[in-house]
Amino acid sequence: MSTSFFTLHLARVPVIAILRGLDVGTTVRLAAECWDAGITLVEVPAQDANGLRALEAAAVRARDTGNLIGAGTIYSVSDASRAADAGANFLVAPGINADTVQYAAGRDIPYLPGVMTPSEVQVAAALGFQVAKLFPAGLLGPDWLTALHSPFPDMNFVAVGGISTSNARAFLA
């Protein structure tokens, strides 16, 4: 299941690089720089035609170099299908959608659901996830993450949205 995929990769390097809104050439170049720097999880948001083109090009480079590329901002099964067809090795969502979870499991594509509230964390846990994307983490802050972790000690969170050099250490702690 996708939980072990994210647990394994994030244990090595606790970072997902998100290459949002860039042209194709810049996306491929920055993805390669991330991989060279040891960041194994690189995400390209695939919410529009430009994002899908950038994902496709980065997927070719990832295949050629033995690296991984993921698709972000996956809202639905149709988004997941387009991303998988474009070569995504994993999917990242801003929320949680049971149909998309089922689709990803059926295609054996690791899926990272987005959560913000205890209810969403509970849904993710009930669906078998032990890793979820906390979004928008920067607005919620590290204390929100700590508070969520208390009732869900088996859930691991990836803080996304508004993470910077000024607050990353607090989120990692």
Side-chain angles (χ1 to χ4, degrees):
M1 174 172 228
S2 59
T3 292
S4 60
F5 173 88
F6 289 105
T7 300
L8 172 73
H9 287 282
L10 292 169
R12 292 180 187 154
V13 178
V15 173
I16 298 176
I18 302 172
L19 307 179
R20 179 181 298 282
L22 304 170
D23 63 70
V24 171
T26 302
T27 299
V28 172
R29 180 180 56 78
L30 290 177
E33 288 179 18
C34 288
W35 296 321
D36 289 346
I39 299 171
T40 58
L41 299 180
V42 177
E43 171 193 330
V44 177
Q47 66 194 88
D48 58 25
N50 183 60
L52 276 171
R53 284 190 298 275
L55 174 63
E56 287 177 22
V60 169
R61 182 70 174 268
R63 269 192 309 274
D64 291 348
T65 59
N67 289 294
L68 299 171
I69 194 73
T73 318
I74 300 299
Y75 298 129
S76 64
V77 170
S78 60
D79 290 342
S81 178
R82 281 191 295 276
D85 291 346
N89 302 111
F90 62 92
L91 305 172
V92 181
I96 188 163
N97 175 294
D99 291 337
T100 309
V101 170
Q102 185 176 7
Y103 170 84
R107 295 272 312 253
D108 199 28
I109 301 172
Y111 177 85
L112 184 65
V115 298
M116 184 179 89
T117 67
S119 295
E120 292 166 343
V121 176
Q122 193 167 347
V123 167
L127 289 170
F129 289 95
Q130 292 177 329
V131 180
K133 167 184 160 179
L134 178 65
F135 179 79
L139 292 174
L140 300 169
D143 290 343
W144 183 264
L145 178 59
T146 301
L148 272 181
H149 200 267
S150 292
F152 301 103
D154 295 330
M155 184 64 71
N156 294 295
F157 296 95
V158 179
V160 177
I163 307 303
S164 66
T165 56
S166 65
N167 65 8
R169 188 174 309 273
F171 276 101
L172 287 170

